[in-house]
Amino acid sequence: MMIELFNISFYQLLIFIHIILFVLWLGADVGVFMLGQHFRKREKYDLPQRLILLQLLVNLDMVPRTAWALMVPITITMVDAGGWWDLPGWAVAVSWAVGGLWTWLVWDAHQHDQTDRAVRDRKIESLLKYGLTAFYLGLGLISLMQGEPLIPVWLATKALMFGLIFAAAIMIDVAFKPVGPQLGQLIAEGSSDETELPLRRTMDNTRIWVWVVYLLLLATAFLGNVKPF
């Protein structure tokens, strides 16, 4: 499947899109991380200013979340178009349906935040992420042990690490979950050690998984570009 357009193959176009999604994912996520760092500085910003920073964080976080969702159909289409894994057309189509559904769930939940609709969307999204985590981990492990369907070791390892990224990103959401009620208490009662310290601990725990995702993203990028084995 090597459609030529202006001397650019379909596979080369997919690689370009893949790189753009990687840049948006990691780059925007670093911005989210920095906004979170400033939100923690209660000695520098008053509470209304910090809440504005938090709103900016939530809005900017839509970029890496969207890039993550679109990585699924792009990676599946890439391995097929590049001849790394001969997939039937319906499998590629399913990957795009999954990526499209996931993207819609992310944005619909964002636009209807704090509603039952958003709760429903995020439950469905969680199921998708659990399933995709198992898929990529399984694909990577089976390929490494059996030498197929992904034959190159670097590609099988990359699939496995992509599954680990899914798992670590899920843990970010799990670690961040207490922030909602803790933030509500902060807004209701004002800034004090009693309201700030539990929130700070939650954010510190979340940062551990954020760093894990960053390291895994860089490692997968290295494998994809250097192909050391």
Side-chain angles (χ1 to χ4, degrees):
M1 192 162 128
M2 300 292 288
I3 300 172
E4 298 287 341
L5 179 64
F6 305 116
N7 294 321
I8 301 174
S9 70
F10 181 54
Y11 181 60
Q12 289 173 317
L13 179 61
L14 290 171
I15 290 175
F16 173 73
I17 296 172
H18 182 66
I19 292 171
I20 293 298
L21 289 178
F22 173 81
V23 171
L24 290 173
W25 186 349
L26 184 56
D29 209 77
V30 171
V32 171
F33 182 85
M34 294 305 298
L35 286 169
Q37 288 292 94
H38 282 281
F39 173 81
R40 294 149 56 94
K41 298 178 180 179
R42 57 172 167 153
E43 72 284 351
K44 185 175 181 179
Y45 305 103
D46 59 31
L47 185 55
Q49 290 174 323
R50 291 167 65 207
L51 292 176
I52 291 173
L53 289 172
L54 188 62
Q55 186 59 55
L56 288 172
L57 181 156
V58 171
N59 289 335
L60 183 59
D61 192 44
M62 294 303 295
V63 176
R65 287 182 179 274
T66 302
W68 183 19
L70 293 176
M71 275 290 193
V72 173
I74 287 296
T75 55
I76 296 300
T77 309
M78 277 180 62
V79 294
D80 178 56
W84 304 108
W85 187 11
D86 187 18
L87 288 166
W90 65 263
V92 177
V94 167
S95 74
W96 281 98
V98 169
L101 173 61
W102 187 1
T103 303
W104 180 83
L105 289 169
V106 166
W107 280 95
D108 193 61
H110 177 69
Q111 292 170 354
H112 299 90
D113 199 21
Q114 306 298 322
T115 67
D116 290 341
R117 178 169 173 168
V119 172
R120 180 209 62 189
D121 288 344
R122 289 178 178 131
K123 284 181 179 178
I124 299 172
E125 183 191 357
S126 293
L127 292 174
L128 273 179
K129 288 191 288 190
Y130 292 142
L132 289 167
T133 301
F135 168 74
Y136 281 103
L137 288 175
L139 177 62
L141 286 171
I142 291 171
S143 297
L144 286 172
M145 291 187 296
Q146 300 182 0
E148 59 180 3
L150 302 179
I151 298 174
V153 175
W154 67 266
L155 185 57
T157 305
K158 189 175 179 181
L160 176 62
M161 294 183 72
F162 196 39
L164 292 175
I165 289 172
F166 269 81
I170 288 171
M171 289 307 302
I172 291 175
D173 289 340
V174 172
F176 199 72
K177 194 171 183 178
V179 162
Q182 290 170 347
L183 184 62
Q185 184 180 8
L186 173 62
I187 295 171
E189 300 178 13
S191 179
S192 67
D193 286 347
E194 289 72 21
T195 57
E196 294 278 4
L197 293 181
L199 180 59
R200 178 68 177 262
R201 281 193 294 271
T202 297
M203 297 186 78
D204 286 343
N205 292 335
T206 304
R207 286 200 308 167
I208 296 171
W209 294 107
V210 171
W211 281 110
V212 171
V213 168
Y214 290 168
L215 291 173
L216 288 170
L217 278 172
L218 291 174
T220 56
F222 175 82
L223 284 175
N225 283 275
V226 178
K227 301 175 179 59
F229 41 72

